[in-house]
Amino acid sequence: MDLSAELLADAKEMLNDFGIPLVCATNETFRVMASDAQINQTLESGGFLSQTAFTVKVAATTSAWTTADGAVGASTGSLSGGVAISPLSIGKKAVVGNVGVRIVSSQYKPGSAWVILGVHTDVQ
């Protein structure tokens, strides 16, 4: 087993134990790890806008997988051609742990076990 495969296996194990669901607008479900939230305030016309921002990490798989308890780890691959698949692309909406969010950034390094998505609460 190569190092990338071992890291991906470890990532899936962490998601099995601690992952929460991310549901895309297309009803595809992914298990993710979420960071601590931070409140961001921006000055918009009419006053300040507060948004909660955090990152979510999804396993960088190219095929579907299920968790040890039979739940869906990912209903489809999270990568296609080395980039996040369309439902996880920037600008898309999702629900993470009952919070509506919009994806605002995406990071993936070739060989990494994770796709890291920057999200913020969707207040539009």
Side-chain angles (χ1 to χ4, degrees):
M1 183 182 275
D2 67 6
L3 181 58
S4 294
E6 284 187 44
L7 293 173
L8 183 58
D10 288 344
K12 288 180 179 181
E13 190 172 325
M14 284 187 269
L15 291 170
N16 274 331
D17 294 339
F18 308 111
I20 60 173
L22 176 147
V23 181
C24 298
T26 56
N27 285 329
E28 292 172 282
T29 302
F30 299 86
R31 282 281 179 105
V32 299
M33 301 288 289
S35 71
D36 291 336
Q38 68 181 40
I39 306 259
N40 295 325
Q41 278 193 337
T42 56
L43 181 59
E44 301 286 335
S45 58
F48 286 98
L49 172 65
S50 293
Q51 293 179 313
T52 304
F54 53 99
T55 59
V56 294
K57 294 170 37 170
V58 61
T61 62
T62 55
S63 59
W65 62 282
T66 55
T67 61
D69 62 2
V72 175
S75 60
T76 186
S78 61
L79 285 178
S80 175
V83 296
I85 61 169
S86 178
L88 299 177
S89 61
I90 295 170
K92 300 292 184 170
K93 292 183 179 184
V95 175
V96 180
N98 297 323
V99 175
V101 298
R102 184 175 295 272
I103 299 169
V104 295
S105 67
S106 177
Q107 301 172 29
Y108 173 71
K109 293 183 209 171
S112 173
W114 301 103
V115 175
I116 301 171
L117 304 172
V119 299
H120 64 68
T121 51
D122 186 35
V123 294
Q124 297 178 0

